[in-house]
Amino acid sequence: MVIKESVEPLLEDYRPPGISSLKFSKLTLGTVPPKVEGIRVQSLKQGQITMDIDFRWGGDPNIVLGVEALVASIPIQLKDLQVFTVIRVIFLLSEEIPCISAVVVALLSEPKPRIDYTLKAIGGSLTAVPGLSDMIDDTVTSIVTDMLQWPHRIVVPLGGVPVDTSDLELKPQGKLNLTVVKANDLKNMEMIGKSDPYAVVYIRPLFKFKTNTVENNLNPVWNETFELIAEDQETQSLVLEVFDKDIGQDKRLGIVKLPLADLESGTSKVIDLRLLPSLDMLKIKDKKDRGTVTVKVLYYQFNKEEQLAALEEEKKTLEDRKKMKESVILRSTSVAIDGAKTAVGTGVGMVGSGIGTGAGLVGGGFNTGVGIVGSGLGAVGSGLGSVGSGLSRAGKFMGRSIAGQVGNSRRSGSTTPVNSESGGAKPL
């Protein structure tokens, strides 16, 4: 119950635009306990103990996600779950029993946490919602990276003793002024013409920004500037991805990561970054060159007042994004229902017209002979057939309404920039 209450709000925060609800239908962790394969004490500070724990779990949980999209509602089971990671635990000590007033828990980014699982639709198919499997994978990855992976952490007060945990909580530390200048020699993903590239940049997956799309160009120039908030310069990185805008799913042309630790605070730099097919090159067979991206970067360290102001702005951004999601869902549902009513009404009109024609011919049949009666009854059948045709059109109309709205919502995005100095900043 504690896990469900803690994780479900995260699922809501990171829920993709195409999904209207993402909650646990079942959640039990099974009977197989996790294994602790090693413990290392990293530091002993005044009032604190920091440990790193090698954690492994190949359990038998029963986890079912209730996934509701605008086109279908499907229960999805997570099977064969395995977790391999290193957990950082910080104990905040106190003089009163139980001698620990709070615990900080996070997953270390190196070695990278591994969470393996398979998805199975119960009583349906994953293909009922296009891209559903990728949506769930992206949601899981974003939650782990953005909420659980160091420097992000969970702070848990213990012992029932009031304690100030504000120093343990993550706060904005600085901002990165980033100008995405241009790209050169991008890989062409099109059979006819050239790719239509745009760039996506982020430090935290929760706050992504997108450039404009440059059509039919493998050497695009953007010159767009964004501000990205950083919580820990030593461990966080800027991630830059370049995509080819396409009908349906956009194709990734390349990705690169720039550690913030490589940047000197207050010093502006122009850097050429070489794009990779993936950050995990061990799984990639096509290792051909993907081109370069030129960026201009300036990292700035916050003072105390700026830090608090950035924290409040971040909270406001998350609240605005939540309202935006709710608005998109309501608008999509309303458009689909209105479209269905219109098309179903047309079908019903056809039914009435068909029956009226049939009745007229039946009446005529009594006057002119049995043969006309048969024709009249045939016309009744034709009229009733129009019911199916009308309802079929209603279903197709509803599908188009839903598909169009989902597409728009994904383009307009689910995040809002924390700050932007230019009109080029476009939240994903």
Side-chain angles (χ1 to χ4, degrees):
M1 182 60 70
V2 173
I3 295 176
K4 183 177 180 179
E5 291 176 351
S6 301
V7 176
E8 278 194 341
L10 299 180
L11 293 176
E12 175 61 26
D13 288 340
Y14 289 83
R15 170 175 51 80
I19 295 177
S20 57
S21 178
L22 191 60
K23 295 182 178 180
F24 290 111
S25 299
K26 294 181 181 178
L27 177 59
T28 59
L29 298 183
T31 58
V32 179
K35 293 182 179 179
V36 175
E37 298 184 336
I39 298 177
R40 296 174 297 281
V41 177
Q42 296 292 0
S43 67
L44 294 171
K45 296 181 180 179
Q46 181 68 33
Q48 285 187 14
I49 299 176
T50 301
M51 296 182 180
D52 288 346
I53 300 173
D54 296 328
F55 180 92
R56 178 175 180 175
W57 183 44
D60 58 343
N62 183 12
I63 302 175
V64 178
L65 283 171
V67 180
E68 292 185 13
L70 296 176
V71 294
S73 178
I74 306 174
I76 303 293
Q77 185 176 21
L78 274 70
K79 300 184 66 179
D80 306 321
L81 181 64
Q82 296 190 67
V83 180
F84 307 87
T85 188
V86 178
I87 301 176
R88 171 154 292 180
V89 181
I90 302 174
F91 297 98
L92 186 64
L93 306 180
S94 70
E95 296 180 355
E96 301 181 24
I97 295 176
C99 301
I100 299 174
S101 57
V103 176
V104 178
V105 181
L107 308 183
L108 291 190
S109 56
E110 296 295 337
K112 186 177 179 179
R114 273 186 54 199
I115 302 179
D116 299 330
Y117 55 86
T118 56
L119 298 175
K120 178 183 178 183
I122 301 175
S125 171
L126 287 174
T127 59
V129 180
L132 177 60
S133 181
D134 290 340
M135 288 182 191
I136 293 177
D137 290 342
D138 290 345
T139 300
V140 171
T141 301
S142 295
I143 289 175
V144 171
T145 303
D146 212 32
M147 298 298 296
L148 303 176
Q149 190 168 299
W150 188 267
H152 309 287
R153 74 286 301 266
I154 297 174
V155 180
V156 183
L158 296 177
V161 178
V163 59
D164 182 11
T165 59
S166 58
D167 289 341
L168 298 174
E169 294 172 353
L170 190 65
K171 301 181 185 67
Q173 188 184 84
K175 68 178 178 181
L176 179 68
N177 284 326
L178 168 70
T179 300
V180 184
V181 181
K182 62 180 180 177
N184 288 313
D185 303 321
L186 296 176
K187 181 178 179 179
N188 191 13
M189 296 296 232
E190 300 296 329
M191 298 293 291
I192 300 175
K194 299 176 182 178
S195 295
D196 306 318
Y198 65 88
V200 174
V201 295
Y202 60 92
I203 294 174
R204 295 181 60 183
L206 193 60
F207 301 102
K208 292 184 178 182
F209 297 85
K210 173 185 171 184
T211 68
N212 289 312
T213 300
V214 179
E215 295 184 357
N216 198 38
N217 198 324
L218 300 181
N219 299 284
V221 176
W222 291 294
N223 274 323
E224 296 184 42
T225 301
F226 311 93
E227 281 190 1
L228 295 90
I229 301 299
E231 287 88 3
D232 188 351
Q233 186 184 3
E234 294 302 315
T235 61
Q236 290 183 307
S237 297
L238 167 70
V239 178
L240 189 150
E241 298 179 86
V242 179
F243 291 90
D244 173 21
K245 183 71 177 176
D246 210 344
I247 298 173
Q249 188 169 4
D250 298 347
K251 305 182 189 77
R252 187 165 70 186
L253 301 178
I255 185 172
V256 65
K257 181 183 286 189
L258 175 65
L260 298 184
D262 295 348
L263 306 179
E264 182 179 348
S265 182
T267 301
S268 178
K269 294 176 66 175
V270 176
I271 306 173
D272 289 329
L273 302 171
R274 184 158 296 280
L275 292 168
L276 302 172
S278 171
L279 294 178
D280 187 359
M281 291 297 291
L282 295 176
K283 298 180 181 179
I284 300 299
K285 294 181 180 179
D286 180 9
K287 301 183 185 294
K288 293 181 181 178
D289 186 49
R290 295 298 181 103
T292 61
V293 174
T294 302
V295 298
K296 182 178 180 181
V297 292
L298 171 63
Y299 182 78
Y300 172 78
Q301 193 84 12
F302 284 145
N303 58 34
K304 189 72 172 179
E305 291 75 19
E306 291 169 331
Q307 185 182 66
L308 294 175
L311 184 61
E312 289 303 313
E313 186 66 26
E314 185 176 286
K315 291 178 180 178
K316 182 179 181 298
T317 298
L318 291 174
E319 188 63 32
D320 290 344
R321 191 188 73 158
K322 185 176 180 180
K323 292 178 181 178
M324 186 188 301
K325 273 189 177 182
E326 293 171 350
S327 174
V328 167
I329 291 170
L330 289 173
R331 196 161 56 245
S332 302
T333 306
S334 176
V335 169
I337 291 174
D338 289 345
K341 285 180 179 178
T342 302
V344 171
T346 304
V348 171
M350 293 179 184
V351 177
S353 176
I355 291 175
T357 303
L361 289 174
V362 172
F366 282 115
N367 295 323
T368 58
V370 176
I372 304 296
V373 175
S375 300
L377 291 174
V380 174
S382 300
L384 292 175
S386 299
V387 182
S389 175
L391 292 177
S392 174
R393 278 191 288 272
K396 291 177 182 177
F397 187 91
M398 184 184 293
R400 285 198 299 273
S401 300
I402 291 167
Q405 192 64 32
V406 170
N408 291 337
S409 68
R410 292 199 70 171
R411 283 194 294 273
S412 64
S414 58
T415 60
T416 306
V418 174
N419 247 320
S420 171
E421 291 182 350
S422 79
K426 290 193 175 183
L428 281 184

